Amino acid sequence: MVADTPKRAGRPAAVDQDAMIEAATELADEAGLEAVTFRALADRLGVSAMAVHRASGGIDALRHRLIARVVDEAVAALDWTDPDWRPRLEMFALGLRDLLMRHPLVLEAHRRASLDTPDADDVAHRIVASLRDAGLDEEEAVYAYAAVHDFVTGHVAIRLGRGDDELDEIPASRRTASVFDLHHDPERRFRIGLDLLLDGIAQRVAGGRA
C-alpha cells in the first residue's frame, strides 16, 4: 500500500479583487503608481505574480481601477442637497483637497492625464451647471470651476512636496525674510485663499445678474 504524498505548501492561486485593489492603493499612496507591480502586489498579498496578473487584467488596467475606486468613493460622499453654487463649489473644493491629501496617488495620476472616471466628470458638470444657473455664461462657468480645481490641486501639491513644517526646518534668518513667517497655518492658508476665490466668483455672478 502506497502512502499518500503530502502536498507541497504553496501560495494560494486565487486573488480576492477587493484585497488586490486595497493593496494596490496602499502601494501607490506609499511610493507612487510605478510601485504598483505584479511582484510587489504578490509579495503583499502572499500569492504568485502570475495570479495577480490573471486577476488584474494587466497593470495599466489595475492602476486605472484603483484610481477610479478612490475617486468614486470620494464622490459618493458628496451631498448635493443645497442647490446654490457657492456651497456646492466649496464642498467640491474641500472634498477634492481631502481626497488628494489622503490619496496622493490621485494627484500623481492627474498630473499625467485628466481623471477618466464617470463620477469625476459628473461632479464637474454639476458644478458648471450650478454656476450657469447662477448667471455665468458657459465659458465663465467652466473656468470658474477650473480656477477652484487648480487652486486645490496646486495647494495640495505644495503641501505634499514641501511638508507642513517647511519653515521650521530652515535657518531663522531665512524664515524671518519670508512673508509666511507669521502666517504659516496650512489650513488657514487654504480656507482664506478659497474664500477669496469664491468671493471673486460671487462678484462675477452678481455682475452678471445686474
Side-chain angles (χ1 to χ4, degrees), residues 165-193:
D165 299 325
E166 175 192 6
L167 285 185
D168 296 334
E169 299 172 358
I170 64 176
S173 59
R174 174 68 187 92
R175 173 168 180 160
T176 56
S178 171
V179 296
F180 298 113
D181 182 27
L182 301 178
H183 307 285
H184 191 60
D185 182 330
E187 182 64 21
R188 291 281 294 163
R189 180 172 176 166
F190 179 83
R191 292 308 302 251
I192 291 176

PDB file of all heavy atoms in Angstrom, residues 165-193:
ATOM      1  N   ASP A 165       5.781  71.506   7.740  1.00  0.00           N
ATOM      2  CA  ASP A 165       6.769  72.077   8.659  1.00  0.00           C
ATOM      3  C   ASP A 165       7.947  72.687   7.914  1.00  0.00           C
ATOM      4  O   ASP A 165       9.053  72.793   8.457  1.00  0.00           O
ATOM      5  CB  ASP A 165       7.272  70.995   9.627  1.00  0.00           C
ATOM      6  CG  ASP A 165       6.146  70.423  10.469  1.00  0.00           C
ATOM      7  OD1 ASP A 165       5.232  71.197  10.829  1.00  0.00           O
ATOM      8  OD2 ASP A 165       6.174  69.219  10.758  1.00  0.00           O
ATOM      9  N   GLU A 166       7.705  73.080   6.675  1.00  0.00           N
ATOM     10  CA  GLU A 166       8.789  73.591   5.832  1.00  0.00           C
ATOM     11  C   GLU A 166       9.571  74.718   6.497  1.00  0.00           C
ATOM     12  O   GLU A 166      10.801  74.701   6.553  1.00  0.00           O
ATOM     13  CB  GLU A 166       8.206  74.092   4.506  1.00  0.00           C
ATOM     14  CG  GLU A 166       9.222  74.767   3.600  1.00  0.00           C
ATOM     15  CD  GLU A 166       8.559  75.490   2.441  1.00  0.00           C
ATOM     16  OE1 GLU A 166       7.307  75.548   2.426  1.00  0.00           O
ATOM     17  OE2 GLU A 166       9.270  75.998   1.590  1.00  0.00           O
ATOM     18  N   LEU A 167       8.879  75.734   7.040  1.00  0.00           N
ATOM     19  CA  LEU A 167       9.576  76.880   7.626  1.00  0.00           C
ATOM     20  C   LEU A 167      10.338  76.522   8.894  1.00  0.00           C
ATOM     21  O   LEU A 167      11.334  77.162   9.226  1.00  0.00           O
ATOM     22  CB  LEU A 167       8.582  78.013   7.911  1.00  0.00           C
ATOM     23  CG  LEU A 167       8.082  78.803   6.705  1.00  0.00           C
ATOM     24  CD1 LEU A 167       7.205  79.953   7.171  1.00  0.00           C
ATOM     25  CD2 LEU A 167       9.227  79.336   5.865  1.00  0.00           C
ATOM     26  N   ASP A 168       9.873  75.510   9.605  1.00  0.00           N
ATOM     27  CA  ASP A 168      10.546  75.114  10.836  1.00  0.00           C
ATOM     28  C   ASP A 168      11.916  74.499  10.576  1.00  0.00           C
ATOM     29  O   ASP A 168      12.745  74.399  11.489  1.00  0.00           O
ATOM     30  CB  ASP A 168       9.690  74.105  11.615  1.00  0.00           C
ATOM     31  CG  ASP A 168       8.375  74.710  12.073  1.00  0.00           C
ATOM     32  OD1 ASP A 168       8.331  75.942  12.238  1.00  0.00           O
ATOM     33  OD2 ASP A 168       7.405  73.953  12.243  1.00  0.00           O
ATOM     34  N   GLU A 169      12.143  74.085   9.337  1.00  0.00           N
ATOM     35  CA  GLU A 169      13.378  73.381   9.016  1.00  0.00           C
ATOM     36  C   GLU A 169      14.422  74.262   8.346  1.00  0.00           C
ATOM     37  O   GLU A 169      15.479  73.768   7.955  1.00  0.00           O
ATOM     38  CB  GLU A 169      13.045  72.184   8.108  1.00  0.00           C
ATOM     39  CG  GLU A 169      12.098  71.181   8.771  1.00  0.00           C
ATOM     40  CD  GLU A 169      11.630  70.103   7.810  1.00  0.00           C
ATOM     41  OE1 GLU A 169      12.025  70.184   6.624  1.00  0.00           O
ATOM     42  OE2 GLU A 169      10.893  69.203   8.247  1.00  0.00           O
ATOM     43  N   ILE A 170      14.151  75.562   8.195  1.00  0.00           N
ATOM     44  CA  ILE A 170      15.127  76.453   7.568  1.00  0.00           C
ATOM     45  C   ILE A 170      15.704  77.396   8.617  1.00  0.00           C
ATOM     46  O   ILE A 170      15.112  77.596   9.675  1.00  0.00           O
ATOM     47  CB  ILE A 170      14.482  77.256   6.416  1.00  0.00           C
ATOM     48  CG1 ILE A 170      13.392  78.194   6.951  1.00  0.00           C
ATOM     49  CG2 ILE A 170      13.916  76.327   5.357  1.00  0.00           C
ATOM     50  CD1 ILE A 170      12.793  79.080   5.866  1.00  0.00           C
ATOM     51  N   PRO A 171      16.880  77.966   8.374  1.00  0.00           N
ATOM     52  CA  PRO A 171      17.502  78.872   9.344  1.00  0.00           C
ATOM     53  C   PRO A 171      16.577  80.032   9.706  1.00  0.00           C
ATOM     54  O   PRO A 171      15.797  80.511   8.875  1.00  0.00           O
ATOM     55  CB  PRO A 171      18.756  79.362   8.619  1.00  0.00           C
ATOM     56  CG  PRO A 171      19.056  78.305   7.607  1.00  0.00           C
ATOM     57  CD  PRO A 171      17.719  77.770   7.176  1.00  0.00           C
ATOM     58  N   ALA A 172      16.679  80.494  10.944  1.00  0.00           N
ATOM     59  CA  ALA A 172      15.809  81.574  11.428  1.00  0.00           C
ATOM     60  C   ALA A 172      15.939  82.826  10.578  1.00  0.00           C
ATOM     61  O   ALA A 172      14.961  83.520  10.317  1.00  0.00           O
ATOM     62  CB  ALA A 172      16.139  81.881  12.885  1.00  0.00           C
ATOM     63  N   SER A 173      17.165  83.129  10.115  1.00  0.00           N
ATOM     64  CA  SER A 173      17.365  84.333   9.305  1.00  0.00           C
ATOM     65  C   SER A 173      16.591  84.261   8.000  1.00  0.00           C
ATOM     66  O   SER A 173      16.028  85.256   7.538  1.00  0.00           O
ATOM     67  CB  SER A 173      18.853  84.532   9.015  1.00  0.00           C
ATOM     68  OG  SER A 173      19.379  83.388   8.328  1.00  0.00           O
ATOM     69  N   ARG A 174      16.545  83.067   7.422  1.00  0.00           N
ATOM     70  CA  ARG A 174      15.789  82.897   6.168  1.00  0.00           C
ATOM     71  C   ARG A 174      14.298  82.925   6.438  1.00  0.00           C
ATOM     72  O   ARG A 174      13.526  83.483   5.674  1.00  0.00           O
ATOM     73  CB  ARG A 174      16.176  81.574   5.512  1.00  0.00           C
ATOM     74  CG  ARG A 174      15.351  81.233   4.272  1.00  0.00           C
ATOM     75  CD  ARG A 174      15.649  82.182   3.122  1.00  0.00           C
ATOM     76  NE  ARG A 174      14.746  81.949   2.011  1.00  0.00           N
ATOM     77  CZ  ARG A 174      13.595  82.573   1.825  1.00  0.00           C
ATOM     78  NH1 ARG A 174      13.188  83.485   2.721  1.00  0.00           N
ATOM     79  NH2 ARG A 174      12.847  82.327   0.782  1.00  0.00           N
ATOM     80  N   ARG A 175      13.898  82.361   7.566  1.00  0.00           N
ATOM     81  CA  ARG A 175      12.477  82.315   7.885  1.00  0.00           C
ATOM     82  C   ARG A 175      11.919  83.719   8.084  1.00  0.00           C
ATOM     83  O   ARG A 175      10.829  84.024   7.615  1.00  0.00           O
ATOM     84  CB  ARG A 175      12.234  81.473   9.136  1.00  0.00           C
ATOM     85  CG  ARG A 175      10.799  81.526   9.605  1.00  0.00           C
ATOM     86  CD  ARG A 175      10.468  80.497  10.639  1.00  0.00           C
ATOM     87  NE  ARG A 175       9.073  80.618  11.040  1.00  0.00           N
ATOM     88  CZ  ARG A 175       8.385  79.669  11.628  1.00  0.00           C
ATOM     89  NH1 ARG A 175       8.950  78.505  11.874  1.00  0.00           N
ATOM     90  NH2 ARG A 175       7.126  79.847  11.967  1.00  0.00           N
ATOM     91  N   THR A 176      12.641  84.569   8.802  1.00  0.00           N
ATOM     92  CA  THR A 176      12.124  85.917   9.063  1.00  0.00           C
ATOM     93  C   THR A 176      12.037  86.754   7.804  1.00  0.00           C
ATOM     94  O   THR A 176      11.322  87.748   7.764  1.00  0.00           O
ATOM     95  CB  THR A 176      13.010  86.646  10.096  1.00  0.00           C
ATOM     96  OG1 THR A 176      14.365  86.668   9.624  1.00  0.00           O
ATOM     97  CG2 THR A 176      12.947  85.950  11.446  1.00  0.00           C
ATOM     98  N   ALA A 177      12.741  86.340   6.752  1.00  0.00           N
ATOM     99  CA  ALA A 177      12.679  87.063   5.485  1.00  0.00           C
ATOM    100  C   ALA A 177      11.446  86.669   4.672  1.00  0.00           C
ATOM    101  O   ALA A 177      11.105  87.336   3.696  1.00  0.00           O
ATOM    102  CB  ALA A 177      13.941  86.799   4.664  1.00  0.00           C
ATOM    103  N   SER A 178      10.774  85.605   5.081  1.00  0.00           N
ATOM    104  CA  SER A 178       9.624  85.110   4.336  1.00  0.00           C
ATOM    105  C   SER A 178       8.348  85.829   4.764  1.00  0.00           C
ATOM    106  O   SER A 178       8.142  86.107   5.950  1.00  0.00           O
ATOM    107  CB  SER A 178       9.452  83.607   4.584  1.00  0.00           C
ATOM    108  OG  SER A 178       8.239  83.129   4.038  1.00  0.00           O
ATOM    109  N   VAL A 179       7.472  86.089   3.803  1.00  0.00           N
ATOM    110  CA  VAL A 179       6.185  86.706   4.126  1.00  0.00           C
ATOM    111  C   VAL A 179       5.313  85.742   4.946  1.00  0.00           C
ATOM    112  O   VAL A 179       4.334  86.154   5.558  1.00  0.00           O
ATOM    113  CB  VAL A 179       5.411  87.130   2.863  1.00  0.00           C
ATOM    114  CG1 VAL A 179       6.161  88.201   2.106  1.00  0.00           C
ATOM    115  CG2 VAL A 179       5.125  85.924   1.963  1.00  0.00           C
ATOM    116  N   PHE A 180       5.689  84.471   4.942  1.00  0.00           N
ATOM    117  CA  PHE A 180       4.900  83.470   5.669  1.00  0.00           C
ATOM    118  C   PHE A 180       5.400  83.242   7.089  1.00  0.00           C
ATOM    119  O   PHE A 180       4.909  82.357   7.786  1.00  0.00           O
ATOM    120  CB  PHE A 180       4.916  82.134   4.914  1.00  0.00           C
ATOM    121  CG  PHE A 180       4.305  82.206   3.555  1.00  0.00           C
ATOM    122  CD1 PHE A 180       5.091  82.036   2.423  1.00  0.00           C
ATOM    123  CD2 PHE A 180       2.950  82.444   3.392  1.00  0.00           C
ATOM    124  CE1 PHE A 180       4.528  82.095   1.153  1.00  0.00           C
ATOM    125  CE2 PHE A 180       2.378  82.510   2.135  1.00  0.00           C
ATOM    126  CZ  PHE A 180       3.171  82.332   1.004  1.00  0.00           C
ATOM    127  N   ASP A 181       6.367  84.030   7.538  1.00  0.00           N
ATOM    128  CA  ASP A 181       6.950  83.819   8.858  1.00  0.00           C
ATOM    129  C   ASP A 181       5.889  83.795   9.958  1.00  0.00           C
ATOM    130  O   ASP A 181       5.872  82.909  10.806  1.00  0.00           O
ATOM    131  CB  ASP A 181       7.986  84.917   9.143  1.00  0.00           C
ATOM    132  CG  ASP A 181       8.666  84.726  10.491  1.00  0.00           C
ATOM    133  OD1 ASP A 181       8.740  83.565  10.951  1.00  0.00           O
ATOM    134  OD2 ASP A 181       9.122  85.712  11.082  1.00  0.00           O
ATOM    135  N   LEU A 182       4.980  84.763   9.938  1.00  0.00           N
ATOM    136  CA  LEU A 182       3.945  84.863  10.964  1.00  0.00           C
ATOM    137  C   LEU A 182       2.613  84.263  10.530  1.00  0.00           C
ATOM    138  O   LEU A 182       1.659  84.237  11.294  1.00  0.00           O
ATOM    139  CB  LEU A 182       3.738  86.332  11.368  1.00  0.00           C
ATOM    140  CG  LEU A 182       4.975  87.052  11.920  1.00  0.00           C
ATOM    141  CD1 LEU A 182       4.642  88.509  12.233  1.00  0.00           C
ATOM    142  CD2 LEU A 182       5.514  86.341  13.160  1.00  0.00           C
ATOM    143  N   HIS A 183       2.555  83.806   9.301  1.00  0.00           N
ATOM    144  CA  HIS A 183       1.296  83.269   8.757  1.00  0.00           C
ATOM    145  C   HIS A 183       1.619  81.981   7.998  1.00  0.00           C
ATOM    146  O   HIS A 183       1.742  81.983   6.774  1.00  0.00           O
ATOM    147  CB  HIS A 183       0.625  84.283   7.838  1.00  0.00           C
ATOM    148  CG  HIS A 183       0.427  85.629   8.471  1.00  0.00           C
ATOM    149  ND1 HIS A 183      -0.556  85.862   9.405  1.00  0.00           N
ATOM    150  CD2 HIS A 183       1.105  86.794   8.330  1.00  0.00           C
ATOM    151  CE1 HIS A 183      -0.495  87.123   9.802  1.00  0.00           C
ATOM    152  NE2 HIS A 183       0.506  87.707   9.178  1.00  0.00           N
ATOM    153  N   HIS A 184       1.743  80.912   8.766  1.00  0.00           N
ATOM    154  CA  HIS A 184       2.140  79.655   8.135  1.00  0.00           C
ATOM    155  C   HIS A 184       1.256  78.500   8.605  1.00  0.00           C
ATOM    156  O   HIS A 184       1.717  77.416   8.925  1.00  0.00           O
ATOM    157  CB  HIS A 184       3.611  79.350   8.439  1.00  0.00           C
ATOM    158  CG  HIS A 184       4.153  78.220   7.613  1.00  0.00           C
ATOM    159  ND1 HIS A 184       4.188  78.258   6.232  1.00  0.00           N
ATOM    160  CD2 HIS A 184       4.676  77.015   7.983  1.00  0.00           C
ATOM    161  CE1 HIS A 184       4.711  77.131   5.785  1.00  0.00           C
ATOM    162  NE2 HIS A 184       5.010  76.358   6.816  1.00  0.00           N
ATOM    163  N   ASP A 185      -0.034  78.771   8.653  1.00  0.00           N
ATOM    164  CA  ASP A 185      -1.007  77.740   9.010  1.00  0.00           C
ATOM    165  C   ASP A 185      -1.597  77.200   7.709  1.00  0.00           C
ATOM    166  O   ASP A 185      -2.339  77.919   7.025  1.00  0.00           O
ATOM    167  CB  ASP A 185      -2.099  78.346   9.892  1.00  0.00           C
ATOM    168  CG  ASP A 185      -3.127  77.308  10.343  1.00  0.00           C
ATOM    169  OD1 ASP A 185      -3.362  76.336   9.600  1.00  0.00           O
ATOM    170  OD2 ASP A 185      -3.700  77.486  11.422  1.00  0.00           O
ATOM    171  N   PRO A 186      -1.294  75.978   7.326  1.00  0.00           N
ATOM    172  CA  PRO A 186      -1.768  75.447   6.044  1.00  0.00           C
ATOM    173  C   PRO A 186      -3.287  75.472   5.898  1.00  0.00           C
ATOM    174  O   PRO A 186      -3.809  75.742   4.812  1.00  0.00           O
ATOM    175  CB  PRO A 186      -1.233  74.011   6.035  1.00  0.00           C
ATOM    176  CG  PRO A 186      -0.071  74.032   6.947  1.00  0.00           C
ATOM    177  CD  PRO A 186      -0.436  75.014   8.027  1.00  0.00           C
ATOM    178  N   GLU A 187      -3.992  75.194   6.999  1.00  0.00           N
ATOM    179  CA  GLU A 187      -5.455  75.183   6.928  1.00  0.00           C
ATOM    180  C   GLU A 187      -5.996  76.590   6.700  1.00  0.00           C
ATOM    181  O   GLU A 187      -6.904  76.794   5.890  1.00  0.00           O
ATOM    182  CB  GLU A 187      -6.039  74.586   8.214  1.00  0.00           C
ATOM    183  CG  GLU A 187      -7.565  74.490   8.229  1.00  0.00           C
ATOM    184  CD  GLU A 187      -8.114  73.553   7.172  1.00  0.00           C
ATOM    185  OE1 GLU A 187      -7.366  72.671   6.687  1.00  0.00           O
ATOM    186  OE2 GLU A 187      -9.307  73.705   6.821  1.00  0.00           O
ATOM    187  N   ARG A 188      -5.454  77.566   7.432  1.00  0.00           N
ATOM    188  CA  ARG A 188      -5.871  78.962   7.236  1.00  0.00           C
ATOM    189  C   ARG A 188      -5.521  79.424   5.819  1.00  0.00           C
ATOM    190  O   ARG A 188      -6.294  80.144   5.186  1.00  0.00           O
ATOM    191  CB  ARG A 188      -5.184  79.854   8.254  1.00  0.00           C
ATOM    192  CG  ARG A 188      -5.647  79.645   9.680  1.00  0.00           C
ATOM    193  CD  ARG A 188      -6.972  80.336   9.943  1.00  0.00           C
ATOM    194  NE  ARG A 188      -6.849  81.794   9.866  1.00  0.00           N
ATOM    195  CZ  ARG A 188      -7.893  82.616   9.734  1.00  0.00           C
ATOM    196  NH1 ARG A 188      -9.114  82.132   9.627  1.00  0.00           N
ATOM    197  NH2 ARG A 188      -7.715  83.922   9.709  1.00  0.00           N
ATOM    198  N   ARG A 189      -4.361  79.051   5.371  1.00  0.00           N
ATOM    199  CA  ARG A 189      -3.924  79.420   4.014  1.00  0.00           C
ATOM    200  C   ARG A 189      -4.920  78.909   2.974  1.00  0.00           C
ATOM    201  O   ARG A 189      -5.283  79.629   2.034  1.00  0.00           O
ATOM    202  CB  ARG A 189      -2.532  78.841   3.771  1.00  0.00           C
ATOM    203  CG  ARG A 189      -1.933  79.136   2.405  1.00  0.00           C
ATOM    204  CD  ARG A 189      -0.492  78.668   2.386  1.00  0.00           C
ATOM    205  NE  ARG A 189       0.131  78.836   1.083  1.00  0.00           N
ATOM    206  CZ  ARG A 189       1.438  78.767   0.870  1.00  0.00           C
ATOM    207  NH1 ARG A 189       2.248  78.562   1.894  1.00  0.00           N
ATOM    208  NH2 ARG A 189       1.936  78.911  -0.336  1.00  0.00           N
ATOM    209  N   PHE A 190      -5.364  77.679   3.169  1.00  0.00           N
ATOM    210  CA  PHE A 190      -6.317  77.089   2.231  1.00  0.00           C
ATOM    211  C   PHE A 190      -7.676  77.766   2.326  1.00  0.00           C
ATOM    212  O   PHE A 190      -8.261  78.162   1.312  1.00  0.00           O
ATOM    213  CB  PHE A 190      -6.456  75.592   2.499  1.00  0.00           C
ATOM    214  CG  PHE A 190      -7.445  74.906   1.590  1.00  0.00           C
ATOM    215  CD1 PHE A 190      -7.058  74.493   0.327  1.00  0.00           C
ATOM    216  CD2 PHE A 190      -8.755  74.693   1.994  1.00  0.00           C
ATOM    217  CE1 PHE A 190      -7.962  73.875  -0.522  1.00  0.00           C
ATOM    218  CE2 PHE A 190      -9.661  74.070   1.153  1.00  0.00           C
ATOM    219  CZ  PHE A 190      -9.262  73.662  -0.108  1.00  0.00           C
ATOM    220  N   ARG A 191      -8.208  77.905   3.540  1.00  0.00           N
ATOM    221  CA  ARG A 191      -9.557  78.428   3.696  1.00  0.00           C
ATOM    222  C   ARG A 191      -9.659  79.879   3.267  1.00  0.00           C
ATOM    223  O   ARG A 191     -10.638  80.273   2.607  1.00  0.00           O
ATOM    224  CB  ARG A 191     -10.018  78.270   5.151  1.00  0.00           C
ATOM    225  CG  ARG A 191     -10.235  76.824   5.576  1.00  0.00           C
ATOM    226  CD  ARG A 191     -11.137  76.066   4.619  1.00  0.00           C
ATOM    227  NE  ARG A 191     -12.433  76.673   4.478  1.00  0.00           N
ATOM    228  CZ  ARG A 191     -13.563  76.160   4.965  1.00  0.00           C
ATOM    229  NH1 ARG A 191     -13.538  75.020   5.622  1.00  0.00           N
ATOM    230  NH2 ARG A 191     -14.707  76.767   4.784  1.00  0.00           N
ATOM    231  N   ILE A 192      -8.681  80.719   3.641  1.00  0.00           N
ATOM    232  CA  ILE A 192      -8.742  82.127   3.239  1.00  0.00           C
ATOM    233  C   ILE A 192      -8.565  82.247   1.731  1.00  0.00           C
ATOM    234  O   ILE A 192      -9.267  83.023   1.065  1.00  0.00           O
ATOM    235  CB  ILE A 192      -7.685  82.954   3.996  1.00  0.00           C
ATOM    236  CG1 ILE A 192      -8.080  83.050   5.473  1.00  0.00           C
ATOM    237  CG2 ILE A 192      -7.554  84.347   3.391  1.00  0.00           C
ATOM    238  CD1 ILE A 192      -7.064  83.771   6.340  1.00  0.00           C
ATOM    239  N   GLY A 193      -7.647  81.478   1.177  1.00  0.00           N
ATOM    240  CA  GLY A 193      -7.463  81.506  -0.271  1.00  0.00           C
ATOM    241  C   GLY A 193      -8.724  81.088  -1.019  1.00  0.00           C
ATOM    242  O   GLY A 193      -9.121  81.699  -2.006  1.00  0.00           O
TER     243      GLY A 193
END
